[in-house]
Amino acid sequence: MPIPKPLLSGTLHDYGIGHLVDMPAPAEAVPTERQLMNLTLPPWQRPEVWSEAQNRRFVEGVFLGLGTGSYVVHASDWDDAGRPKPMSGWLLDGQQRISALRDFIAGDLVVFGDVRFTEMSVPDQLRFKRRPFPCHELEYTANEDALKELYDRLNFGGTPHTEAQRVLPSNPIQNEVSP
């Protein structure tokens, strides 16, 4: 059996976090479509579920150099009349991370106990917005089942860890015996 064609095909863009803030709004979103910043969410995508603590840990991780991962969007395309085709620009992966960044940039999320984006110096804000957040832009397809298949593979493939599975290294200082 031949190996199937990659599902995540298209263009990888080396955007920074600021691209999410600076990108133009989508053209004529259907009133029932949900928006996240300037991105459109598919109707079958779950709502935001990360807790404030999860949002905070993600943004703190960005500051600590742990990266952002990448997000996946379906390319936009237009019909002959210049209207967006169905499913244009849908965000297929990255909603929780982008929501955390949105809340931080809006000043609604405090990290490291007292750091708010809106209170950071302008140079520090610019440095944060320049941090890499790559985007996989898929080639446009009218096949919604193919988009759902990719979404499912990106979002349902892992097994969540339980606290009992966390293996903590022993503390060598506590294990030392004093003479």
Side-chain angles (χ1 to χ4, degrees), residues 15-26 36-39 58 68 70-73 91 93-95 97-102 105 128-129 131-135:
Y15 294 142
I17 291 170
H19 177 76
L20 294 168
V21 177
D22 301 332
M23 67 189 286
L36 174 58
M37 297 185 82
N38 291 323
L39 298 165
F58 171 71
T68 56
S70 62
Y71 61 103
V72 179
V73 296
L91 175 66
D93 188 51
Q95 176 188 193
R97 289 169 285 139
I98 292 171
S99 297
L101 293 170
R102 174 206 59 208
I105 291 169
F128 181 79
K129 289 170 69 177
R131 291 181 184 258
F133 196 7
C135 171

Side-chain angles (χ1 to χ4, degrees), residues 109-146:
L109 180 68
V110 177
V111 297
F112 299 117
D114 64 353
V115 175
R116 224 181 259 283
F117 182 83
T118 53
E119 296 170 3
M120 292 168 48
S121 69
V122 171
D124 284 343
Q125 288 179 355
L126 291 172
R127 277 191 279 279
F128 181 79
K129 289 170 69 177
R130 287 187 189 128
R131 291 181 184 258
F133 196 7
C135 171
H136 289 274
E137 183 180 6
L138 304 175
E139 297 169 10
Y140 182 84
T141 178
N143 184 343
E144 187 172 359
D145 289 336

Side-chain angles (χ1 to χ4, degrees), residues 43-122:
W44 31 261
Q45 189 171 118
R46 71 181 180 178
E48 294 175 26
V49 296
W50 276 11
S51 67
E52 184 176 327
Q54 288 172 301
N55 287 341
R56 183 175 21 269
R57 284 184 61 88
F58 171 71
V59 174
E60 288 175 350
V62 173
F63 278 105
L64 295 171
L66 302 178
T68 56
S70 62
Y71 61 103
V72 179
V73 296
H74 182 229
S76 295
D77 201 1
W78 296 266
D79 63 19
D80 293 337
R83 293 181 303 258
K85 288 184 178 179
M87 303 173 289
S88 281
W90 278 2
L91 175 66
L92 299 175
D93 188 51
Q95 176 188 193
Q96 308 305 321
R97 289 169 285 139
I98 292 171
S99 297
L101 293 170
R102 174 206 59 208
D103 292 351
F104 178 64
I105 291 169
D108 298 332
L109 180 68
V110 177
V111 297
F112 299 117
D114 64 353
V115 175
R116 224 181 259 283
F117 182 83
T118 53
E119 296 170 3
M120 292 168 48
S121 69
V122 171

